Amino acid sequence: MASDLTVIVLAAGGGTRMKSKTAKVLHEIGGRTMVGHVLAAVRALDPTRVVAVVGHQREQVGPHIQALLPETVLAVQQEQRGTGHAVRIAVEASGTSSGTVLVANGDTPLLRGGSLRAFAAEHEAAQCAVSVLSGIVDEPFGYGRIVRNEEGDVEAIVEENDATPDQRDIPEISSGILAFDAEFLTESLPRIGNDNAKGEYYLTDTVGLARDAGLTVGAFPIDDWVQTQGANDRVQLADLGRELNRRIVEQWMRDGVTVMDPESTWIDADVRLSPDVIVLPGSQLLGATVVGEDAVIGPDTSLKDCEIGVGARVVRAHGELAVIGDGANVGPFAYLRPGTRLGPGGKIGAFVETKNARIGDGAKVPHLSYVGDAEIGEGSNIGAGTIFATYDGTSKHRTTVDKGVQGGANNTFVAPVVIGDGAMTGGGAVVRRDVPPGTLAVSGGPQRNLDRRAPRDHPEPQPVSPDEAES
Ligand code: UD1
Ligand code: CA
């Protein structure tokens, strides 16, 4: 491919059919915005320069694009006067005058870098002034048609509204992705007129200009047409989202992941899985989640930006920004909030919520607990129904449970508090003060067993056990 490659991404359109306060290209599928997917494909080409044309909602769109691909030059198109006008602004903003220029749309999330690369290579090999990535489709309605002469050479691209009835029957259409020789593009942009049905400056008119100048025009059909499809409304967005997911899930299966029910499994584009991971039905692996070999996820689990260790099991859980160690067990019905770190071989069991908690190697929180702002040492076991009370009404405090602690059931650890190595706590203990290593902490009054048969009007219940006498 040419050593000088400019990519122009068109992202100025309004997207009225989305009926959204969010700009069209910022709508997400597969864990990235639509324009985010396009930029990922563009980045794969390693272009010399990237220009994005922004207009509608550019306060949102511009910074988003620059956050994803910082070298992008933003060109502002105040008024959407057509793709030819948009590209002219982009060329002026970038100062491009040599090499190859690729024009893509910001709303085609399934586009792959490899397809762009192959297209640019075909364009360059055929020494075209302009080339279009085309597609042969059953329903060409709405697209620019590729008009070829008897020899099969491309004569023009005719937009839907300007096409004759015969031209409307042409099944070969323009994807809107075009490649140009930069010199030809710079010369022809000022010559595009807007004398057409929409009164817009059509970039596709460059094809006719090239023909008139006796230059070569290429149209290279792409087999995988869906890569060029844009989403104009939320129905199309969901369709593309489903197709993207189908492709991602299929790729992971080919790479050695078992997915029991691909239809109910959702995997974002940036997720990384290892061979022999098993994903059970109803699971969503989102964001930058990473799962190690032999781990079993699901059923009915959603993990966003989580790291799951080798051989871990996560059953019916919801997690975000949590790290689960090798061979650890989570769930069923666990809520892993940000900052949860479970060590290798550890356990976060049924109906347990964790937040900002480091749970050591082999440590266990098996049942019905809240663990927040805490450190739990290696091998400790937290009793069923234990609550880490972190908030005193003004600020939050940390709890430290050292190694090998045996917690009783139904405890409350009132932070800040430290429970030393090898300590134990009694059932129902409310731990407000530090527990020295190796001691047993009990709290609460002694048990009183009262005589049920005492007359209702009797002022004092009668003691029936020796405990009562002590208190
Ligand atoms: C365009 C093509 C058509 C092709 C179709 C593929 C032209 C004239 N027509 O038609 O041949 O079949 O795409 O989807 O190019 N945009 C701007 N500024 C503008 C106008 C558009 O940035 O002033 C952006 C839009 O946001 C969009 C892209 O350019 O991302 C295409 O524009 P759109 O108006 O949707 O063109 P179509 O009529 O679909
Ligand atoms: Ca369009």
Side-chain angles (χ1 to χ4, degrees):
M1 228 165 38
S3 51
D4 189 344
L5 175 68
T6 301
V7 180
I8 297 173
V9 178
L10 302 182
T16 29
R17 280 176 283 167
M18 282 288 177
K19 300 194 177 155
S20 175
K21 60 185 171 300
T22 303
K24 174 166 94 167
V25 295
L26 298 189
H27 282 261
E28 288 183 21
I29 58 173
R32 292 182 192 152
T33 60
M34 290 206 273
V35 71
H37 286 285
V38 173
L39 292 174
V42 168
R43 185 203 293 271
L45 298 177
D46 194 20
T48 319
R49 58 190 81 73
V50 182
V51 191
V53 182
V54 294
H56 274 280
Q57 290 154 296
R58 62 174 181 274
E59 324 65 41
Q60 302 171 357
V61 179
H64 175 73
I65 289 175
Q66 283 192 313
L68 292 177
L69 202 60
E71 66 260 38
T72 308
V73 174
L74 294 181
V76 176
Q77 188 190 27
Q78 301 281 0
E79 212 186 315
Q80 278 63 67
R81 297 163 66 190
T83 47
H85 179 246
V87 168
R88 190 172 170 178
I89 287 171
V91 168
E92 281 164 11
S94 70
T96 300
S97 61
S98 61
T100 297
V101 179
L102 260 182
V103 178
N105 291 337
D107 67 348
T108 54
L110 269 67
L111 186 65
R112 302 304 303 257
S115 307
L116 281 179
R117 180 180 288 112
F119 170 55
E122 283 178 303
H123 160 79
E124 285 166 8
Q127 298 191 306
C128 296
V130 48
S131 299
V132 54
L133 185 63
S134 68
I136 319 276
V137 299
D138 295 334
E139 289 175 31
F141 180 81
Y143 291 98
R145 310 296 201 284
I146 312 287
V147 182
R148 294 181 185 257
N149 65 17
E150 267 130 51
E151 284 79 53
D153 298 330
V154 179
E155 302 250 272
I157 299 178
V158 181
E159 294 303 311
E160 177 74 37
N161 294 329
D162 305 290
T164 64
D166 275 357
Q167 288 172 335
R168 287 194 177 136
D169 289 339
I170 298 173
E172 188 178 6
I173 60 180
S174 163
S175 66
I177 297 170
L178 295 124
F180 295 91
D181 169 67
E183 276 172 53
F184 164 74
L185 180 64
T186 330
E187 281 161 27
S188 42
L189 283 172
R191 294 164 53 211
I192 297 176
N194 64 350
D195 182 17
N196 52 50
K198 276 173 135 183
E200 283 188 0
Y201 295 89
Y202 290 163
L203 183 62
T204 42
D205 282 359
T206 50
V207 168
L209 293 173
R211 288 296 297 180
D212 294 346
L215 300 168
T216 315
V217 176
F220 303 103
I222 183 171
D223 291 336
D224 190 17
W225 177 247
V226 71
Q227 283 193 39
T228 69
Q229 291 206 293
N232 295 308
D233 59 32
R234 300 192 201 221
V235 176
Q236 291 173 345
L237 185 72
D239 282 345
L240 289 181
R242 203 177 312 110
E243 177 58 19
L244 177 64
N245 187 62
R246 198 190 62 72
R247 290 174 178 219
I248 292 171
V249 170
E250 183 176 316
Q251 189 56 53
W252 283 119
M253 293 192 288
R254 298 205 183 284
D255 289 346
V257 171
T258 295
V259 177
M260 189 187 269
D261 181 20
E263 299 259 308
S264 69
T265 300
W266 291 81
I267 303 177
D268 276 354
D270 293 319
V271 168
R272 293 292 161 257
L273 307 177
S274 302
D276 290 320
V277 162
I278 297 177
V279 186
L280 298 177
S283 296
Q284 294 170 284
L285 301 175
L286 308 175
T289 293
V290 179
V291 183
E293 222 169 275
D294 298 323
V296 182
I297 310 294
D300 301 324
T301 291
S302 47
L303 300 173
K304 187 174 187 206
D305 301 325
C306 289
E307 212 180 299
I308 310 299
V310 173
R313 285 197 58 115
V314 183
V315 183
R316 289 186 214 281
H318 180 81
E320 195 169 338
L321 286 165
V323 179
I324 303 303
D326 295 350
N329 276 286
V330 173
F333 307 107
Y335 180 21
L336 312 171
R337 292 169 56 197
T340 296
R341 298 181 78 93
L342 177 62
K347 182 181 178 75
I348 292 175
F351 303 103
V352 174
E353 174 180 345
T354 58
K355 187 208 73 177
N356 219 344
R358 205 180 264 273
I359 302 171
D361 298 11
K364 295 185 165 67
V365 188
H367 332 270
L368 302 157
S369 293
Y370 171 68
V371 181
D373 302 315
E375 195 91 34
I376 298 176
E378 217 178 289
S380 288
N381 189 88
I382 304 302
T386 295
I387 303 299
F388 285 55
T390 58
Y391 190 59
D392 63 10
T394 356
S395 43
K396 291 195 172 165
H397 302 280
R398 292 191 67 83
T399 300
T400 304
V401 176
D402 283 337
K403 293 180 193 161
V405 169
Q406 288 299 313
N410 192 29
N411 280 192
T412 304
F413 297 157
V414 183
V417 74
V418 177
I419 301 172
D421 283 343
M424 277 182 94
T425 58
V430 177
V431 180
R432 300 174 192 275
R433 289 185 290 123
D434 290 357
V435 181
T439 62
L440 167 66
V442 291
S443 74
Q447 179 174 336
R448 304 194 309 165
N449 293 336
L450 306 181
D451 188 350
R452 292 179 60 206
R453 291 161 304 170
R456 280 182 193 284
D457 56 353
H458 204 290
E460 283 292 315
Q462 297 306 297
V464 291
S465 81
D467 265 8
E468 182 71 8
E470 292 163 20
S471 65

